[in-house]
Structure formats: structure tokens, C-alpha cells
């Protein structure tokens, strides 16, 4: 029997919007809106997908209702969600009425911001087609700018646009690229944006792997039948958002969202501990022959390595109020060890050139600046340098894609020795300059490039084990 709702979706008003209605949004932000609807609030969400997959037909066929199955191996719960009251694919997005929308969120991945990697600057080449035809945009940045321009011309009210992507200072990034684009496409818009649009930074957290045949079967068995929009996720969820809004907003705090004045400590904690460990496992786990985060996290050698890594990463952090960094690290590892969540390492490794600068390279540079070693981080970067550009799918068909992949494949093929390759990789503008300027870090990375390049999965695992044992006995 499919899970029942305690509210009527038709009674909800289209007051919020979301760009990028993927599995994560359906399992995360929608669960908070669902909590509010069950408490009597009337905030409904209009979903917008500018890129495939097209989900509007499936949404309509299910009357807008789908299920979220949460499971950690001990407790299992199936919840029906009905707060996604509209869903538009690319062909119908020009007709979406934003006039009554006061609050919008985005999960479009870091590439969707059309910025120069490692900066908050718009990449004009990424939006060239939109700038040539700003009334027919294809990117999220172009789409939002056109929406705001129409709102301005119609005398519309203020609106909050909140990025929910795993990007450092995501609100600053969104505001920066959108203002730059607007200045190029709609000269009268930037001043209006400054007066009427807020770009709060936010941090979101819930592990939601891509749906597989097995997870689909589990969801259908637990929740009562086929569900084209249903998702499987871990029970844990978190949403922290900066207290900076324009106009009305949903009472998110009633559903457990943390509204804070300074998001940076929360953001850095998540990026460097949970996400940092995910990226580390994506590189080292694959080198050791694993295909999922669960397999890597339950490998005793990599679990012991994670203890060292999490401690080193935590030493670069200011602890957010009410948190315990050691406990957060333990919880992060336990979440990855959830036996019901098998997040493909190939999926986590995708777009690593966007993820690793904030998750791995920035804390490495901070450690070096304090005179502390950063070999653990060098190991991860060595793993990326050896694997970026390898697009072979795993046994379930999941490939890895990285914007730097082809270039790294060429550089790897041309490399003459590990030390030279390490210096060349660290000279890329992706990383803080300090990494390539530190002889010890270059040597550490070169050491692991040699070790990982020469061994098979069993040998690499043994080398990591030796490293951990040496540190444990030091």
C-alpha cells in the first residue's frame, strides 16, 4: 500500500520554485516542505528541469505524488511526498509563472553556475549562446536572469534565490555570476537585483545515491509498487541556511532547518569532513578495487585511514556552535558504512576537478601554512591525477566524467617521471599555489603517484595499510 498524505496537494499554493529536480532534491528539500505541509503550511513547489532527464510526464502520471524510502539497516520508513505541485521540463519552462514565487532553490551541480573553476567569476564562453539570445536561454543562469528581468518589468516584488549545491560560498557564487550575466544581457537589471534579490548561502546534507535496479526494487517493495520519481536515501538530513532573505519565505525552522548568521563554519565542516571523505574514498577506494562508498568505508584498511584523514581535516576547522568535530567525523564515517546505501564511487568521482579544490586542496594548503604535514591530502590528489579521464563504467554501468579528464589523460601519457608529473599537476590553477611551492608536499604526491601507478588493487591497499600502521605506531 502506497504511503498516504495528511494534506491535499491541490490546496498548496505555488509559492516556491526549484531548479534541478533530481533525486537529491526530491529526497531532501521536498521532505522539509512536506513536513511544513503536514503542519498546515500552504507552500507548494514548482519544479524546473532545464536539462534531461524529462520527468514532467512521470510526475503528471503519478498526480505529483512519489515516495522516499529511508533506511539505515536498522530502521526503515516510507514517506509519500506531494509538495512538488508542478514539474516542467525544458520545453515548458518558458511558460512558468514566477509572479507568485517568493523563494527559490537550486541544485544544478557546480558546472551549472557557468563560472570559471575556482573563482566566483562568470565564464562568458559558457553562456555565449544565452547572451546571443537572452530571451531563449538554455542555462540556469540565463533562465534566472530572464525570469528576474520579467519580474522587474512587471513591477514584481522581492525574491530569495538560494543555492543548495555543494559549492563553497554558493550564495556569493550565484549572486556574482547572475549579476555579471544580467549586466551583459539586461542592462537595467543589476540595480534591481541589488535592491530586490537575496542570495543566502546554504549547506544541505543527505546521501542520496543514483537509483539502481536493486534500490528501485527495494523502494517498490517497501512503498507499494512502481514509482518513477521515488528515491532511496539515508535517514540523516541537514539544511543550514544563512539568515538573509528578501520578502516572504517558508517557515523552514519549523521543519528543523537551521537559520544562522554565519554559515561558513557549518559549510566547511561538511565539505571537509563528510564530502572530503567521500572524495577521498572515490579516489583511493577505486584504486583499491572498490565500486561503492559502502565497500570503501567498510574496508578495515580504508576505515583506519579515514580516522587519520578526518582528524587532519578537523584540525583545519573552526567548530560550529553546537557541533563536535570528532563526533561529526565519526557520524560521517558511519553514514558511509550504511549497508543500505551503495553510492557509486564513479558517481562521486565525477566532476572531481570542481570538488577537490575545496574539499582536499584548501585544507592541505592550510595545514602546510601552519607547518603541519598534508600527506593524506597528497594521497587523494595523487589518486585523482592517476584516474581523471578514465571513463570506463563500473560493473553497474556508472561512468566517471570530469571536465579536466581529457587534459589529464594527455598530461599523464606525456609524463616522464612522478616528480615532474606532480609538479605539473600542482601547477594547475585548480589548486592553491602553496601546494606546488611546498617541496615536501610535491615529494609526498610524487611518492604516492609512483606507489599507486605500479601496484594492483591488492598492493595499493597494502601500501595504504603500511602507511596507517606507521602513523599509528609513531
Amino acid at each position: 500500500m502506497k504511503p498516504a498524505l495528511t494534506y491535499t496537494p491541490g490546496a498548496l499554493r505555488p509559492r516556491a520554485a526549484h531548479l534541478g529536480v533530481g533525486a537529491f532534491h526530491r529526497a531532501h528539500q521536498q521532505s522539509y516542505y512536506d513536513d511544513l505541509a503536514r503542519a498546515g503550511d500552504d507552500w507548494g513547489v514548482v519544479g524546473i528541469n532545464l536539462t534531461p532527464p524529462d520527468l514532467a510526464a512521470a510526475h503528471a502520471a503519478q498526480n505529483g505524488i512519489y515516495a522516499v524510502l529511508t533506511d539505515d539497516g536498522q530502521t526503515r520508513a516510507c514517506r509519500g511526498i506531494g509538495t512538488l505541485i508542478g514539474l516542467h521540463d525544458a520545453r515548458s519552462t518558458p511558460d512558468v509563472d514566477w509572479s507568485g514565487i517568493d523563494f527559490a532553490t537550486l541544485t544544478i551541480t557546480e558546472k551549472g553556475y557557468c563560472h570559471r573553476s575556482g573563482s566566483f567569476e562568470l565564464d562568458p564562453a559558457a553562456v555565449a549562446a544565452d547572451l546571443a539570445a537572452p530571451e531563449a536561454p538554455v542555462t540556469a543562469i540565463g533562465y534566472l536572469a530572464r525570469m528576474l528581468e520579467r519580474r522587474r518589468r512587471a513591477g514584481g516584488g522581492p525574491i530569495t534565490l538560494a543555492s543548495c549545491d555543494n559549492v563553497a560560498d554558493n550564495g556569493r557564487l550565484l549572486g556574482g555570476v547572475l549579476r555579471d550575466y544580467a549586466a551583459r544581457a539586461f542592462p537595467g537589471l543589476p540595480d534591481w537585483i541589488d535592491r530586490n534579490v537575496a542570495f543566502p548561502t546554504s549547506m544541505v546534507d543527505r546521501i542520496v545515491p543514483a537509483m539502481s535496479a536493486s534500490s528501485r526494487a527495494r523502494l517498490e517493495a517497501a512503498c507499494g509498487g512502481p514509482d518513477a520519481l521515488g528515491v532511496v536515501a539515508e535517514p540523516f538530513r541537514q539544511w543550514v541556511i544563512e539568515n538573509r532573505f528578501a520578502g516572504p519565505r517558508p517557515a523552514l525552522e519549523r521543519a528543523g532547518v537551521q537559520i544562522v548568521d554565519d554559515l561558513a563554519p557549518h559549510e566547511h565542516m561538511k565539505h571537509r569532513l563528510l564530502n572530503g571523505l567521500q572524495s577521498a574514498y572515490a579516489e583511493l577506494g577505486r584504486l583499491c578495487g572498490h565500486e561503492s562508498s559502502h565497500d570503501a568505508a567498510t574496508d578495515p584498511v580504508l576505515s583506519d585511514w579515514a580516522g587519520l584523514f578526518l582528524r587532519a581535516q578537523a584540525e583545519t576547522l573552526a567548530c560550529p556552535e553546537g557541533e563536535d568535530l570528532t563526533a561529526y567525523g565519526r557520524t560521517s564515517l558511519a553514514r558511509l558504512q550504511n549497508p543500505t546505501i551503495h553510492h557509486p564511487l564513479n558517481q562521486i568521482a565525477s566532476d572531481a576537478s570542481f570538488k577537490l579544490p575545496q574539499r582536499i586542496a584548501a585544507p592541505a594548503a592550510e595545514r602546510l601554512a601552519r607547518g603541519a604535514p598534508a600527506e593524506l591530502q597528497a594521497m587523494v590528489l595523487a589518486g585523482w591525477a592517476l584516474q581523471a579521464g578514465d571513463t570506463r563504467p563500473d560493473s553497474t554501468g556508472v561512468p566517471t566524467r570530469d571536465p579536466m579528464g581529457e587534459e589529464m589523460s594527455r598530461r599523464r601519457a606525456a609524463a616522464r617521471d612522478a616528480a615532474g608529473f606532480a609538479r605539473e599537476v600542482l601547477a594547475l590553477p585548480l589548486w592553491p599555489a602553496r601546494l606546488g611551492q611546498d617541496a615536501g608536499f610535491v615529494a609526498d604526491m610524487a611518492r604516492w603517484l609512483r606507489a599507486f601507478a605500479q601496484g594492483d588493487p591488492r598492493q595499493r591497499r597494502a601500501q595504504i595499510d603500511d602507511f596507517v600502521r606507521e602513523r599509528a605506531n609513531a
Side-chain angles (χ1 to χ4, degrees):
M1 180 176 180
K2 291 191 175 183
L5 300 178
T6 61
Y7 56 90
T8 303
L12 303 178
R13 296 166 54 201
R15 303 185 64 187
H18 183 84
L19 269 68
V21 187
F24 181 83
H25 170 70
R26 301 198 300 276
H28 186 273
Q29 289 94 0
Q30 284 296 333
S31 72
Y32 288 96
Y33 284 110
D34 181 73
D35 280 350
L36 294 180
R38 292 171 188 266
D41 283 11
D42 66 349
W43 283 76
V45 184
V46 177
I48 296 165
N49 277 339
L50 298 171
T51 58
D54 295 341
L55 300 175
H59 180 265
Q62 297 182 187
N63 296 316
I65 301 172
Y66 65 92
V68 175
L69 174 66
T70 56
D71 196 349
D72 63 3
Q74 297 179 337
T75 58
R76 173 182 289 186
C78 192
R79 166 192 285 208
I81 302 281
T83 44
L84 186 62
I85 59 175
L87 183 54
H88 297 266
D89 293 325
R91 59 183 173 273
S92 64
T93 52
D95 303 322
V96 176
D97 180 9
W98 282 74
S99 60
I101 291 172
D102 300 309
F103 182 76
T105 49
L106 298 83
T107 48
I108 57 176
T109 76
E110 185 162 353
K111 290 185 295 185
Y113 292 85
C114 301
H115 68 300
R116 293 190 173 96
S117 181
S119 78
F120 297 101
E121 300 175 359
L122 180 73
D123 179 359
V127 293
D130 284 4
L131 290 173
E135 290 297 335
V138 295
T139 69
I141 300 305
Y143 178 80
L144 287 173
R146 189 192 61 170
M147 177 276 295
L148 293 176
E149 175 66 3
R150 290 185 174 183
R151 196 179 187 96
R152 180 186 75 86
R153 293 174 184 172
I159 186 171
T160 298
L161 302 179
S163 168
C164 295
D165 282 294
N166 276 328
V167 184
D169 295 325
N170 52 26
R172 179 183 170 193
L173 172 61
L174 177 59
V177 296
L178 195 49
R179 287 186 182 94
D180 190 343
Y181 178 92
R184 299 166 188 258
F186 305 109
L189 185 55
D191 288 343
W192 186 89
I193 289 177
D194 290 340
R195 296 191 305 272
N196 293 278
V197 186
F199 300 96
T201 299
S202 71
M203 184 271 276
V204 297
D205 194 5
R206 177 169 249 179
I207 298 174
V208 187
M211 291 295 285
S212 64
S214 61
S215 60
R216 179 76 60 194
R218 285 197 296 121
L219 179 134
E220 293 178 356
C223 299
D227 189 338
L229 297 178
V231 286
V232 176
E234 64 169 339
F236 181 96
R237 67 174 188 176
Q238 186 177 25
W239 188 357
V240 188
I241 187 166
E242 183 183 11
N243 189 15
R244 185 153 56 94
F245 303 93
R249 67 168 179 85
L252 297 168
E253 61 274 25
R254 294 180 58 191
V257 177
Q258 298 164 259
I259 311 293
V260 301
D261 293 326
D262 183 10
L263 186 88
H266 297 270
E267 180 182 60
H268 291 162
M269 177 181 68
K270 190 229 176 186
H271 288 169
R272 296 187 180 187
L273 297 183
L274 175 68
N275 296 142
L277 184 57
Q278 287 177 306
S279 285
Y281 277 160
E283 304 305 336
L284 302 188
R286 289 186 299 155
L287 287 170
C288 292
H290 299 301
E291 290 196 342
S292 75
S293 57
H294 171 266
D295 293 343
T298 53
D299 180 328
V301 170
L302 294 183
S303 177
D304 289 343
W305 183 91
L308 299 176
F309 174 78
L310 291 167
R311 187 158 58 249
Q313 294 279 93
E315 290 172 357
T316 70
L317 295 169
C319 186
E321 183 177 354
E323 295 282 0
D324 179 315
L325 295 177
T326 301
Y328 186 92
R330 286 198 300 265
T331 299
S332 296
L333 178 58
R335 291 169 61 194
L336 298 183
Q337 293 172 335
N338 181 339
T340 71
I341 300 293
H342 291 260
H343 202 167
L345 294 179
N346 273 3
Q347 181 186 12
I348 299 171
S350 289
D351 299 329
S353 59
F354 282 115
K355 300 171 182 176
L356 295 178
Q358 63 170 321
R359 299 180 181 185
I360 303 297
E366 291 175 21
R367 289 185 61 82
L368 295 176
R370 298 204 314 266
E375 187 171 0
L376 291 148
Q377 291 78 7
M379 295 169 73
V380 179
L381 295 188
W384 174 78
L386 290 171
Q387 296 175 101
D390 183 350
T391 60
R392 289 174 296 177
D394 63 18
S395 64
T396 66
V398 177
T400 298
R401 297 282 188 268
D402 191 312
M404 290 288 295
E406 291 185 6
E407 180 175 347
M408 287 302 300
S409 293
R410 289 193 296 270
R411 289 173 180 258
R412 196 161 51 242
R416 295 185 177 182
D417 59 75
F421 185 42
R423 286 191 294 270
E424 185 176 348
V425 171
L426 294 175
L428 293 170
L430 298 173
W431 323 115
R434 187 177 196 100
L435 300 187
Q437 296 166 355
D438 189 287
F441 190 83
V442 174
D444 285 340
M445 185 168 172
R447 170 194 170 190
W448 287 103
L449 284 170
R450 286 190 293 269
F452 291 151
Q454 295 171 358
D456 60 22
R458 180 187 57 80
Q459 292 168 323
R460 294 167 190 148
R461 184 176 179 275
Q463 290 167 327
I464 294 172
D465 189 26
D466 288 343
F467 171 84
V468 172
R469 292 176 182 276
E470 287 174 8
R471 298 306 179 276
N473 296 327

